[in-house]
């Protein structure tokens, strides 16, 4: 049943990638836009997932490797979509028509503040550094969730309150990262007034430290698993 569920899910991933490619009107690789590149990555990731699901019937190692390649392709596609968000292409890989709107952030600024000048519409999007930290938040959340799941598995084996506390501790960076993503969607530029500027920057660098800490914890889990 588990293998069939993997295969059915992978087929749906492939179907989603096909429809994304059709939505972005991909005819040749010379016509690729950011949305098109993301759609191709999603299609390729789905194909690798499907091959991994098929391989699980006869070679588990090959299956895991194929799933790993597919996951890497989906990660690249997600990174492209973050860059599209930065460039105000809010259709991402799903609705190409929204990516061709002229400066949607300018309209949002005029709605919120009719006195906004034409030169101020750039502030409706975030900077390259902001896009970098969005990647940091996503990696931090993913690493933290991996660690949380590992600790939950341990908690089911040890069955102590201390093990549950360890699991909750590993979940906190994920919660903080999602709060920062939500904050970034509303506050796209670093505030200029103190102390909000210092607090915002401090929260960013704190999440960066949490990301490295969660990555180190995951590496320790993997090394322990390999040695045991």
């Amino acid at each position: 049943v588990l293998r069939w569920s993997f295969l059915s899910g992978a087929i749906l991933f492939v179907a989603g990638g096909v429809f994304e490619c059709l939505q972005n009107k991909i005819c040749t690789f010379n016509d690729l836009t950011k949305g098109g590149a993301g759609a191709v990555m999603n299609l390729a990731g789905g194909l690798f997932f499907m091959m991994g699901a098929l391989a699980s019937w006869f070679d588990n190692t090959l299956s895991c490797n194929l799933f790993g390649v597919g996951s890497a392709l989906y990660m690249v596609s997600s990174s492209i979509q973050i860059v599209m968000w930065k460039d105000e292409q809010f259709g991402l890989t799903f609705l190409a028509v929204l990516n061709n709107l002229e400066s949607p952030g300018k309209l949002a600024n005029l709605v919120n503040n009719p006195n906004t000048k034409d030169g101020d519409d750039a502030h409706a999007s975030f900077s390259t550094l902001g896009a970098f930290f969005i990647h940091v938040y996503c990696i931090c959340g993913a690493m933290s969730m991996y660690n949380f799941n590992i600790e939950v598995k341990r908690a089911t084996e040890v069955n102590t309150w201390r093990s549950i506390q360890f699991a909750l501790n590993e979940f906190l960076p994920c919660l903080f990262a999602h709060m920062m993503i939500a904050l970034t969607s509303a506050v796209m530029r670093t505030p200029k007034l103190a102390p909000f500027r210092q607090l915002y920057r401090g929260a960013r660098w704190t999440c960066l430290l949490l990301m490295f800490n969660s990555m180190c914890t995951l590496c320790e889990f993997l090394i322990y698993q390999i040695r045991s």
Side-chain angles (χ1 to χ4, degrees):
V1 177
L2 185 62
R3 290 171 178 171
W4 281 107
S5 65
F6 283 160
L7 181 58
S8 59
I11 292 174
L12 292 175
F13 278 138
V14 173
V18 170
F19 285 118
E20 287 181 11
C21 290
L22 293 175
Q23 174 65 215
N24 287 275
K25 299 179 180 179
I26 298 174
C27 298
T28 64
F29 285 98
N30 295 327
D31 300 330
L32 279 184
T33 60
K34 292 177 184 175
V40 170
M41 289 292 180
N42 286 338
L43 175 59
L47 289 172
F48 273 98
F49 271 30
M50 186 170 67
M51 291 187 292
L54 292 171
S56 65
W57 266 278
F58 56 87
D59 191 337
N60 287 330
T61 301
L62 176 61
S63 174
C64 291
N65 290 334
L66 291 172
F67 277 126
V69 174
S71 299
L73 290 171
Y74 275 117
M75 182 178 66
V76 173
S77 173
S78 299
S79 178
I80 293 174
Q81 293 182 60
I82 291 175
V83 175
M84 294 177 69
W85 181 18
K86 169 186 173 297
D87 296 335
E88 298 184 320
Q89 296 178 347
F90 300 123
L92 303 180
T93 61
F94 314 112
L95 290 174
V97 66
L98 295 181
N99 298 331
N100 299 321
L101 295 178
E102 183 178 356
S103 190
K106 181 177 180 179
L107 177 61
N109 262 357
L110 291 175
V111 171
N112 295 327
N113 184 7
N115 297 322
T116 300
K117 297 180 180 179
D118 292 340
D120 294 337
D121 61 295
H123 294 283
S125 180
F126 46 85
S127 63
T128 302
L129 184 62
F132 166 76
F133 276 105
I134 289 290
H135 285 81
V136 169
Y137 306 150
C138 293
I139 296 173
C140 179
M143 296 296 103
S144 173
M145 186 54 64
Y146 274 124
N147 297 336
F148 171 72
N149 289 331
I150 293 172
E151 288 292 356
V152 168
K153 179 63 169 59
R154 285 184 175 181
T156 59
E157 297 173 352
V158 180
N159 196 22
T160 63
W161 284 108
R162 184 61 173 168
S163 59
I164 296 175
Q165 182 187 17
F166 284 146
L168 291 176
N169 288 342
E170 295 297 341
F171 177 73
L172 290 178
C174 178
L175 180 62
F176 184 74
H178 281 80
M179 291 174 65
M180 288 302 300
I181 292 175
L183 179 62
T184 303
S185 66
V187 184
M188 296 183 179
R189 293 281 178 165
T190 304
K192 296 182 179 180
L193 297 178
F196 304 107
R197 183 180 184 86
Q198 289 75 15
L199 289 172
Y200 190 76
R201 285 185 169 180
R204 277 180 164 182
W205 292 104
T206 298
C207 198
L208 184 64
L209 292 175
L210 291 174
M211 181 195 73
F212 282 119
N213 181 69
S214 295
M215 291 176 67
C216 291
T217 304
L218 180 61
C219 289
E220 289 179 358
F221 285 146
L222 294 176
I223 293 172
Y224 175 80
Q225 183 66 29
I226 293 172
R227 289 178 177 177
S228 61

